[in-house]
Amino acid sequence: MLLMSAEPLSMDPEHLLKEEMQRGQLPQALLIAGPYGVGKKTLARQLAKGIMCRGTAPMKPCGICKNCRRFDRMQLPDFLIPEKKRDTKNIIIDSIRSILDALSSHPLEHGRRVVLIENAELLTPQAQNALLKSIEEPDDSTYFLFTADSLRAILPTIRSRCRIARIAPWPKERLLSALEEHGIPYDHRSRLVPLCSGSIGRALDMEADPHFWERAETVEKTFFSVQKSSDIPAALRILREKKDDAAELLNIFEMEVELLLRTGADSLPSAVPSNWADADAESLKRILNRIFEARMYRASNVVWIGAAEKLLQIITEETALW
Ligand SMILES: [Zn+2]
């Protein structure tokens, strides 16, 4: 059997959608799904701008036509997004009232109309049901774009009427070059990429958080540096002062140990003592279990320093085996 065209099948969903946007062939109801921070909103806004673009340039969005400029200023009356409501993070029916009103009549400017709902998992079932009729029977000029970190809260009736494009976590090379474009120095890039689970958003959040780097250094000076029982008191002195950061310190240590288990010694920050490169998998799994326990102790109000001491003790017992 001959395939009509093999090209789109080999394309990732993001490129395919951009191609379809150029050709004016986007589906009228699209749900862009994928983990936090992989660029779903950026893509949805680019598609929305491309749909609304009236420029004559071959590439859309052209960025220079009247519509593109009004899009950037959020001044396009036929580009519809929910209103933010105080006191709830959900997108309630009141948030989409003006969208529902607009959908009951023709586009104001007799062109195309785009409804963009980001974080659609926050739509209440009532709000989803209110949108359903318009999605079921769209007029030719209206496009619905949804983004969602999780599909679980999206009603099957909505899902079944949308094309679902799943955006995958980014591969390492793409993350590295995107972080470079953001002007992030090499030593930070190489640390962020393995820790961000393929999420450029998470990597940028970590980079922008001044506490992240300080905490990473604390983890290196404490959990990673204890080699024998006599090292524990000095590590505890540092950790005692950092009790407000306890949850974050455990998270960073856990991420680094998981990464070491998954990808081996190349992922280790240079400040970590070299014997960690020789750690065996069973030993690392035991340490991960103890990190989990330390988090549980903390949650049940056991004093942080007691939980930390226990964890440090276990680490020295494990490192003695390597
Ligand atoms: Zn344009």
Side-chain angles (χ1 to χ4, degrees):
M1 187 177 72
L2 280 172
L3 289 172
M4 291 290 283
S5 163
E7 194 189 0
L9 293 176
S10 62
M11 268 190 213
D12 68 67
E14 190 176 336
H15 284 99
L16 180 57
L17 290 170
K18 285 179 183 169
E19 284 271 325
E20 289 175 324
M21 184 247 289
Q22 299 301 339
R23 296 197 302 265
Q25 291 175 348
L26 278 174
Q28 280 189 263
L30 174 65
L31 172 51
I32 302 173
Y36 168 79
V38 291
K40 300 185 297 295
K41 292 178 187 173
T42 306
L43 174 62
R45 287 198 174 236
Q46 201 184 8
L47 296 177
K49 193 173 171 180
I51 292 169
M52 300 303 281
C53 174
R54 305 291 283 276
T56 50
M59 288 298 276
K60 288 183 188 307
C62 72
I64 50 174
C65 73
K66 193 173 160 209
N67 269 11
C68 280
R69 284 180 285 133
R70 288 197 300 163
F71 184 94
D72 290 340
R73 295 196 299 266
M74 293 297 289
Q75 288 173 345
L76 266 180
D78 291 315
F79 175 52
L80 306 168
I81 58 173
E83 284 169 44
K84 289 223 167 17
K85 294 287 174 195
R86 262 186 286 171
D87 305 327
T88 177
K89 71 181 179 72
N90 287 331
I91 307 171
I92 56 176
I93 204 155
D94 267 358
S95 323
I96 59 164
R97 193 73 67 192
S98 59
I99 296 178
L100 296 171
D101 287 347
L103 289 173
S104 65
S105 52
H106 291 293
L108 292 169
E109 298 190 340
H110 309 290
R112 289 166 168 178
R113 171 162 65 189
V114 174
V115 177
L116 171 65
I117 300 188
E118 297 170 332
N119 294 110
E121 70 275 11
L122 299 178
L123 281 164
T124 61
Q126 292 82 353
Q128 294 187 50
N129 278 320
L131 283 168
L132 189 58
K133 193 174 180 318
S134 311
I135 301 172
E136 279 175 329
E137 299 160 12
D139 58 67
D140 291 344
S141 53
T142 302
Y143 290 78
F144 290 87
L145 301 179
F146 299 92
T147 72
D149 291 356
S150 159
L151 291 177
R152 263 179 309 199
I154 314 285
L155 295 177
T157 42
I158 297 268
R159 264 190 278 170
S160 64
R161 280 162 183 83
C162 292
R163 186 163 108 209
I164 298 179
R166 291 176 200 273
I167 308 298
W170 290 20
K172 186 179 164 193
E173 292 310 318
R174 185 177 178 197
L175 285 166
L176 282 171
S177 64
L179 291 173
E180 192 173 1
E181 276 167 30
H182 278 85
I184 293 169
Y186 175 80
D187 59 328
H188 280 207
R189 296 200 296 270
S190 57
R191 286 294 297 281
L192 292 168
V193 166
L195 292 177
C196 73
S197 310
S199 162
I200 182 70
R202 189 167 295 145
L204 292 172
D205 289 349
M206 287 194 281
E207 172 64 17
D209 177 2
H211 299 301
F212 172 77
W213 297 101
E214 202 183 301
R215 287 170 187 147
E217 198 187 334
T218 301
V219 167
E220 283 155 21
K221 285 197 292 198
T222 56
F223 297 121
F224 274 118
S225 291
V226 287
Q227 306 274 321
K228 48 193 186 305
S229 302
S230 56
D231 295 336
I232 292 178
L236 277 178
R237 268 195 299 279
I238 299 173
L239 292 173
R240 184 172 281 120
E241 282 169 21
K242 305 280 183 187
K243 73 175 191 317
D244 294 340
D245 286 344
E248 287 300 322
L249 295 176
L250 289 175
N251 284 345
I252 291 172
F253 185 45
E254 185 177 44
M255 282 196 294
E256 304 260 27
V257 175
E258 267 180 354
L259 195 65
L260 179 60
L261 182 63
R262 259 189 299 128
T263 61
D266 288 349
S267 68
L268 276 177
S270 52
V272 168
S274 57
N275 62 334
W276 279 84
D278 304 325
D280 69 281
E282 289 311 309
S283 203
L284 292 176
K285 284 180 196 163
R286 284 194 292 272
I287 291 173
L288 283 172
N289 283 337
R290 298 301 181 158
I291 298 172
F292 180 74
E293 273 178 29
R295 191 178 287 122
M296 292 293 108
Y297 288 139
R298 241 185 48 76
S300 59
N301 283 331
V302 169
V303 190
W304 155 239
I305 214 64
E309 184 170 13
K310 204 164 173 173
L311 180 56
L312 291 167
Q313 189 67 45
I314 297 297
I315 294 168
T316 57
E317 286 167 24
E318 293 295 340
T319 54
L321 302 173
W322 307 336

